[in-house]
Amino acid sequence: MVGVVVVSHSAKIAEGVCEIAFQMAKAGQKIVSAGGTVDGGIGTDAVRICEAVKAADAGSGVVIMVDLGSAVMSAETALELLEYPLKGIVQIADAPIVEGTLIAVVQASLGSNLTEVLAAANETRHLHKK
Amino acid sequence: MSESLVAAFTAIYEAISRNKQMLTDLDAVIGDADHGVNIARGFEAAQSKVQELAPGTGIDIVLKTIGMALISKVGGASGPLYGTAFLWAGKAAHGITDFNEQTAVPIFEAAIDGIRQRGKAVRGEKTMLDALEPALEAFIHGVKQEKSLKECLNLAAEAAEDGVEYTKTIIATKGRASYLGERSIGHQDPGATSSYIILKALADFSQGERQE
């Protein structure tokens, strides 16, 4: 199953988004948060994201969900730090973090591959709320 | 060789530390008020990591060690940006044992390329690049005129300072400041300012080191 990593400037946001997503997940599905800095501050950390990706991978790759600004750059830096076999099977979604994570987790739970999970997450950009 | 690089980095760290509050104040006006605190924390972590390296460690490893500390400890956007700069500089420095004005060029180029690609930015968007790109050009110009490393670094720092002044005149289109649009005019960019501080510290360090 494709794993999902949630990256936010705030540890609370990242954990909260994971909490919501777990409600829709299958038992044992990998959803890992990587929010905030090591010392509990607001920010992002490419090394922590790297570790989260390793923890989220079950052999089928990982989709990373990000919030704003440095989250994107830290996630991209993390991709650069990854080595074989993870390099190349990790993708960053271009999607809103809450909706995107939820849909990615549901799609992954269906056994879809990395491309399908990423596409489903990215589709949430077009969701309307009213 | 790596000992003087570590000493040079110590000088950079001290300059960042001294200017921490000023950088954060600049960021408070057009950003999220964390630039100085963030990079000071990152450079402090990097500084303590490089102190632990064995004497004689290659300059590529020293640069990589700094980069890794920055990407994990800064927290804000300058973490992946400066972190990538040092990581890419480290790659370019592989095999280089003599750091001089000639060998410095590909290392500086790789560092700035890292920032450009990580930030998907170009000059004129009120970012670090508005200080760094003119600095690199000035450095290369100096090398072509057969000036010394010390003189080239001085030229680079002067060009970076002009670049910081230039950022006051333009609208931010990247990063948090871009949310402010025209409100960002009249204020200098904190990232360009920290880039200038780094280059100025490097230039000052090279003056001191060569005074016999």
Side-chain angles (χ1 to χ4, degrees), chain A residues 43-46 70 76-77 80-81, chain B residues 71-72 75 77 80 88 118 120:
Chain A
T44 56
D45 171 350
S70 76
E76 286 170 348
T77 309
E80 215 174 279
L81 298 176
Chain B
I71 62 167
S72 72
W88 288 30
R118 180 68 66 228
K120 299 182 184 73

Side-chain angles (χ1 to χ4, degrees), chain B residues 3-4 6 31 47 91 95 101-102 118 121 125 145 152 162:
Chain B
E3 285 75 11
S4 26
V6 170
Q47 158 72 2
K91 277 185 203 160
E101 65 281 3
Q102 305 276 348
R118 180 68 66 228
E125 294 182 313
Q145 291 187 320
C152 292
D162 292 344

Side-chain angles (χ1 to χ4, degrees), chain A residues 48-69:
Chain A
R48 283 186 85 194
I49 298 169
C50 220
E51 297 306 315
V53 165
K54 288 176 193 162
D57 180 53
S60 311
V62 175
V63 171
I64 306 179
M65 310 302 305
V66 291
D67 63 0
L68 27 124

Side-chain angles (χ1 to χ4, degrees), chain A residues 2-62:
Chain A
V2 173
V4 177
V5 166
V6 180
V7 179
S8 168
H9 280 63
S10 153
K12 287 179 188 167
I13 289 183
E15 285 158 19
V17 170
C18 288
E19 244 173 41
I20 298 175
F22 268 122
Q23 288 191 308
M24 310 287 282
K26 274 197 173 168
Q29 196 172 346
K30 301 277 183 68
I31 313 167
V32 182
S33 70
T37 58
V38 159
D39 51 3
I42 294 285
T44 56
D45 171 350
V47 175
R48 283 186 85 194
I49 298 169
C50 220
E51 297 306 315
V53 165
K54 288 176 193 162
D57 180 53
S60 311
V62 175

Side-chain angles (χ1 to χ4, degrees), chain B residues 120-140:
Chain B
K120 299 182 184 73
V122 293
R123 205 154 145 181
E125 294 182 313
K126 204 174 178 104
T127 71
M128 295 171 183
L129 291 177
D130 292 313
L132 292 172
E133 288 199 359
L136 177 65
E137 285 165 11
F139 189 92
I140 292 173

Side-chain angles (χ1 to χ4, degrees), chain B residues 16-41 188-191 193-194 197:
Chain B
I16 290 288
S17 258
R18 274 197 307 277
N19 290 286
K20 177 164 87 170
Q21 192 56 47
M22 184 265 279
L23 289 169
T24 288
D25 291 347
L26 288 173
D27 197 28
V29 183
I30 56 169
D32 46 4
D34 62 3
H35 188 55
V37 176
N38 277 347
I39 64 168
R41 180 176 56 231
Q188 72 194 64
D189 179 61
T193 310
S194 62
I197 290 168

